[in-house]
Each structure stands twice: as structure tokens, then as C-alpha cells.
Amino acid sequence: MEFSIDFGSRKIVYTLLYSKRKTLGITVNPDMRIVVKAPENSSTDLIATKVKKRAAWIIKQQNFFLTFHPKLNDKKYISGESHFYLGKQYRIEVIEDKKNEVSYKGRYIQIKTKNKSNVEKLLNDWYRIKAKEKFEEIATPLIEKFKKYNVEPTGIFIQGMKTRWGSCTPKGKIILNPELIKTPKGCIEYVIIHELCHLVHHSHNQKFFDLQVKECPLWERWKKKLEQFG
């Protein structure tokens, strides 16, 4: 069952589940969904009141997860259009050529192609190649660092995700969005550390956040940076 409350100008929609428990529990999922588990026979009015008391915390959690939701890409793939690589802005230069090739020189990402309709695919393929190379390079020392907690991921994988910058599977596989290659190195480190922390603490409890602060003291700075990229 879905219910909602108003908190200032914001509407908080939550799914209500009844169970054999003594206290009310509120969970904010990475996909921004709010699940409220309440003791059987609890009144919906009482539940709404308790949800409203936790509204500020709920919004804080949603804003946190929003950091891991890449923005929609509305970039064009023509000469002069700006694109990012490792946090730096480059203009793309499309050149008709007998071969397909992407490279960056100075402040330009140069795309040579036989057919200009292939520019987007060529650039995205180049980003994926660079993502695989750079993510492994950045992750290696961080993984070594986390071995002191007796954890190690089964691997670093790249996968396009519409709503996440990164994720960690129950079996320890860390998945990173190739779009991350457009962000500064500090942002990439932050996302990797965030997922490595999940190998130690699976949920976003206080111990998880304490560990994240310890291993990435400037995480809030990089979190804000991430919000600027799509």
C-alpha cells in the first residue's frame, strides 16, 4: 500500500508493509523508494506521524543516493561540442578520415571517422576503453588498502547504469558506470571507496559512514562534484 505525507514543499511517498514486529522501521533504498515496516494493527495516522518525524532524515538519505544517479546525457556529437574526460572539459573535433580513431590532444578530443553518424558510438567506445584502464589503475591501491579489513572484491566490472554510479553485489563484485570516466579522479576514488565500504558493512548504517569518513575524509567534497556531472 502506498501513502504519502507533505513535508514543506516536498511530498514523501512511501510503501507501507505490516509485519510481526514491535517497532516501526523506515528504509530508504538506493532507487529512492521508501519502505515503512510497521507492527500489525498500527493505525495509518500514527504511522504517518512517525514518518513525518523522520522526514528530514528520509530526505537526507534520498539526497545521498541521488549522488549516485547520473544525469541524463543531452550532449551533441559535433565539432565544437564540449565533453568531459577525468573532470576536464574538452571540445570534440570530428575529422573525416579513412580510419576510425579517437584520441585527445591539448584541449580537444579528436574523432576520425569514415562516417559522421558513427561519432557518438566511437566516442562512447573510447570512453569504455579508458574507463576499464583508469578504473583498474585507480582501484588497485584502494583495494590493497582495504585488505586490512579482510575484504577484497571479486573484481571491478564496467556496466552502463541509468540510475547508479556504482554498485556492489552480495558476492563482492564491484560494478562501475562508464560515465564515471568523465568525472575527476577524486570522484572515481570516492565511488570505489563507497563500494569497498559495502564489503565491510553491507547496509548504510553508522559504522558504514564512519568507515567511509575514515577512508575518504573529503567524501562530501567529491559527492558535490559528482552532482555536477552527467
Side-chain angles (χ1 to χ4, degrees):
M1 294 182 289
E2 277 200 349
F3 295 85
S4 67
I5 61 163
D6 291 322
F7 185 71
S9 60
R10 191 150 172 177
K11 183 180 286 294
I12 295 176
V13 179
Y14 58 92
T15 299
L16 175 59
L17 302 174
Y18 287 104
S19 63
K20 293 181 179 179
R21 54 183 295 149
K22 295 181 179 179
T23 58
L24 181 137
I26 302 174
T27 303
V28 180
N29 293 317
D31 61 5
M32 312 289 279
R33 289 186 306 110
I34 303 160
V35 178
V36 177
K37 293 182 180 179
E40 294 175 332
N41 302 319
S42 298
S43 74
T44 55
D45 287 343
L46 178 62
I47 292 168
T49 299
K50 290 187 175 181
V51 171
K52 198 160 192 173
K53 285 182 179 178
R54 299 295 304 281
W57 175 83
I58 289 169
I59 291 170
K60 182 180 178 182
Q61 288 295 102
Q62 287 184 322
N63 288 342
F64 175 78
F65 286 127
L66 192 60
T67 307
F68 289 82
H69 290 210
K71 299 171 185 175
L72 293 175
N73 189 351
D74 60 354
K75 289 288 186 182
K76 295 178 182 178
Y77 297 86
I78 57 175
S79 289
E81 182 74 4
S82 63
H83 288 257
F84 284 88
Y85 173 61
L86 290 176
K88 293 182 180 179
Q89 196 169 20
Y90 295 84
R91 291 194 180 277
I92 64 171
E93 183 180 21
V94 180
I95 301 170
E96 287 191 42
D97 201 278
K98 293 180 180 180
K99 57 184 177 181
N100 293 319
E101 185 179 80
V102 181
S103 59
Y104 65 104
K105 298 178 180 180
R107 301 304 296 174
Y108 287 87
I109 295 177
Q110 196 176 80
I111 303 171
K112 294 179 180 179
T113 179
K114 301 173 188 178
N115 188 339
K116 288 187 177 181
S117 65
N118 291 332
V119 171
E120 181 177 355
K121 182 181 184 304
L122 287 170
L123 182 58
N124 287 335
D125 287 347
W126 180 79
Y127 274 134
R128 276 186 171 269
I129 292 168
K130 288 296 181 181
K132 182 173 176 55
E133 173 189 317
K134 291 294 180 180
F135 292 172
E136 289 181 1
E137 179 185 307
I138 294 169
T140 297
L142 298 175
I143 291 170
E144 283 297 316
K145 196 175 179 183
F146 267 75
K147 284 183 179 178
K148 65 190 174 189
Y149 301 113
N150 298 315
V151 296
E152 185 175 357
T154 55
I156 301 290
F157 299 85
I158 295 170
Q159 180 181 310
M161 295 177 280
K162 291 183 178 180
T163 61
R164 302 293 304 277
W165 285 113
S167 67
C168 181
T169 70
K171 292 185 178 180
K173 181 164 70 172
I174 290 178
I175 302 170
L176 300 175
N177 193 323
E179 289 290 306
L180 257 181
I181 196 63
K182 299 175 184 179
T183 71
K185 181 182 176 182
C187 292
I188 299 170
E189 288 177 332
Y190 160 55
V191 173
I192 293 172
I193 289 171
H194 179 94
E195 302 308 336
L196 286 170
C197 286
H198 275 309
L199 296 179
V200 184
H201 303 292
H202 301 302
S203 62
H204 289 101
N205 55 27
Q206 191 57 50
K207 288 182 179 179
F208 170 89
F209 287 110
D210 288 345
L211 180 59
Q212 181 172 262
V213 170
K214 180 181 178 182
E215 296 298 337
C216 188
L218 299 177
W219 74 270
E220 287 183 287
R221 171 187 172 184
W222 297 118
K223 172 181 178 290
K224 289 177 181 177
K225 279 278 186 185
L226 259 183
E227 292 169 356
Q228 300 171 12
F229 286 86

